[in-house]
């Protein structure tokens, strides 16, 4: 089918003509989107979105010329690329901001591991109820009331047991911060 006739049939909603338009323009849209994005995955997504948008808007397309149609379709793809780029644009970093290095130095990692091992050994020195309360308070960050509800005891008992547990841990750990 001639390109102009294909376009007219597609505008009338003929399924074969719509499928043929998609087959005809999909590779071109992919190449164009790839030139803009430099990503095969993004180019494929843009091409698919442009074709879906074309299928929805085709009945309202006012031209009969295939050149005009192709330009219109490429503008749809271009707008998709730039809309996605605007959506993904990262927030500007304030001037003078220096992000912290997320990875500790090897010596710091070793020190952290040793502190953690000492803390775990010290926790083993607590009774089961105190260990559980320490875990609920400091690992799960529950409030005294939440711990009391979970363990079916009073908030006052939780406070008292946690205070005793901290004191015992201080004695067991000595210079290590808890």
């Amino acid at each position: 089918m001639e390109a102009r006739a294909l376009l007219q049939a597609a505008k009338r909603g003929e399924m074969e003509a719509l499928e043929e338009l998609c087959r005809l323009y999909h590779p071109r849209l992919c190449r164009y989107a790839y030139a803009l994005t430099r990503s095969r995955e993004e180019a494929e997504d843009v091409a698919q979105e442009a074709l879906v948008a074309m299928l929805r808007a085709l009945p309202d397309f006012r031209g009969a010329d295939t050149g005009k149609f192709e330009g219109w379709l490429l503008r749809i793809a271009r707008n998709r690329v730039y809309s996605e780029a605007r959506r993904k644009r990262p927030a500007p970093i304030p001037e003078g901001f220096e992000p912290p290095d997320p990875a500790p130095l090897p010596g710091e990692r070793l020190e952290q591991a040793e502190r953690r091992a000492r803390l775990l050994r010290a926790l083993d020195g607590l009774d089961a109820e105190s260990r559980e309360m320490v875990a609920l308070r400091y690992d799960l960050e529950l409030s005294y009331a939440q711990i009391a509800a979970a363990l079916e005891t009073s908030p006052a008992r939780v406070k008292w047991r946690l205070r005793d547990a901290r004191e015992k841990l201080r004695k067991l750990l000595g210079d290590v911060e808890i």
Side-chain angles (χ1 to χ4, degrees), residues 15-30:
M15 191 57 76
E16 289 180 17
L18 290 168
E19 290 173 357
E20 185 61 30
L21 268 182
C22 289
R23 268 193 300 279
L24 182 65
Y25 285 101
H26 183 264
R28 295 177 64 78
L29 287 170
C30 282

Side-chain angles (χ1 to χ4, degrees), residues 61-77:
F61 178 68
R62 300 215 190 285
D65 178 40
T66 56
K68 191 174 181 181
F69 172 77
E70 186 172 4
W72 175 68
L73 187 54
L74 292 174
R75 273 193 312 280
I76 291 172

Side-chain angles (χ1 to χ4, degrees), residues 123-139:
L123 286 170
D124 288 340
L126 299 177
D127 62 89
E129 184 185 30
S130 294
R131 266 196 317 273
E132 186 175 13
M133 286 185 184
V134 167
L136 292 171
R137 179 70 177 153
Y138 299 105
D139 288 342

Side-chain angles (χ1 to χ4, degrees), residues 14-157:
E14 293 179 24
M15 191 57 76
E16 289 180 17
L18 290 168
E19 290 173 357
E20 185 61 30
L21 268 182
C22 289
R23 268 193 300 279
L24 182 65
Y25 285 101
H26 183 264
R28 295 177 64 78
L29 287 170
C30 282
R31 283 193 304 275
Y32 178 65
Y34 181 77
L36 296 176
T37 64
R38 294 292 188 226
S39 164
R40 289 186 194 277
E41 293 84 20
E42 284 184 47
E44 186 66 34
D45 290 345
V46 166
Q48 292 291 347
E49 290 173 15
L51 288 173
V52 168
M54 178 269 298
L55 291 172
R56 288 185 179 138
L58 188 60
D60 298 328
F61 178 68
R62 300 215 190 285
D65 178 40
T66 56
K68 191 174 181 181
F69 172 77
E70 186 172 4
W72 175 68
L73 187 54
L74 292 174
R75 273 193 312 280
I76 291 172
R78 180 180 184 269
N79 290 341
R80 299 277 176 194
V81 168
Y82 290 127
S83 292
E84 187 64 19
R86 277 192 302 275
R87 190 181 69 75
K88 286 183 177 179
R89 185 176 303 148
I93 297 174
E95 194 172 312
F97 176 76
E98 288 294 326
D101 184 11
L105 297 172
E108 291 173 346
R109 282 195 302 250
L110 180 60
E111 193 175 302
Q112 287 173 351
E114 288 172 354
R115 263 198 314 255
R116 176 97 175 135
R118 284 184 68 195
L119 180 59
L120 291 174
R121 282 192 304 272
L123 286 170
D124 288 340
L126 299 177
D127 62 89
E129 184 185 30
S130 294
R131 266 196 317 273
E132 186 175 13
M133 286 185 184
V134 167
L136 292 171
R137 179 70 177 153
Y138 299 105
D139 288 342
L140 300 180
E141 299 177 349
L142 297 183
S143 68
Y144 294 135
Q146 290 170 316
I147 296 169
L151 300 180
E152 297 177 332
T153 189
S154 70
R157 178 171 175 81

Side-chain angles (χ1 to χ4, degrees), residues 155-172:
R157 178 171 175 81
V158 171
K159 287 179 188 178
W160 171 69
R161 293 296 304 235
L162 282 172
R163 189 199 67 215
D164 284 351
R166 282 191 303 269
E167 287 301 314
K168 187 167 185 178
L169 287 172
R170 276 192 193 96
K171 287 177 187 171
L172 290 169

